[in-house]
Amino acid sequence: MQLRKVCLHPAMFESDENEMNGEELIKSSSKIMLLDKLLPKIQQNGSKVLIFSQFTQMLDILEDYLDYR
């Protein structure tokens, strides 16, 4: 379970993900970095995106990222 968390984002282990600013939130996870590059290209086409996660904590991190962007 811990390996699955570490593959998603380091803030999954820390309770202070709200203290990270937007750029730190993005640069600390390669999956978020990839998402950051893909979303603008997808939105240019007018497409919609649906993101699934088994961890509600990861959805909270994604919410913080989307609020930042």
Side-chain angles (χ1 to χ4, degrees):
M1 185 61 72
Q2 301 303 321
L3 289 174
R4 290 177 65 197
K5 287 182 180 181
V6 80
C7 288
L8 291 173
H9 200 278
M12 297 283 287
F13 290 107
E14 303 164 2
S15 61
D16 63 341
E17 82 237 7
N18 293 332
E19 295 177 9
M20 297 178 111
N21 68 20
E23 288 301 318
E24 289 175 352
L25 191 70
I26 295 168
K27 291 182 179 180
S28 60
S29 171
S30 59
K31 288 185 179 186
I32 302 284
M33 288 173 64
L34 179 64
L35 187 66
D36 191 48
K37 291 180 182 178
L38 286 176
L39 280 180
K41 293 178 184 178
I42 292 171
Q43 289 177 339
Q44 285 177 352
N45 297 335
S47 299
K48 295 183 181 182
V49 177
L50 180 62
I51 299 174
F52 290 98
S53 178
Q54 293 180 343
F55 297 102
T56 56
Q57 189 178 4
M58 185 61 194
L59 293 175
D60 293 337
I61 294 169
L62 286 171
E63 179 184 13
D64 292 341
Y65 160 72
L66 292 172
D67 286 341
Y68 172 71
R69 284 293 184 216

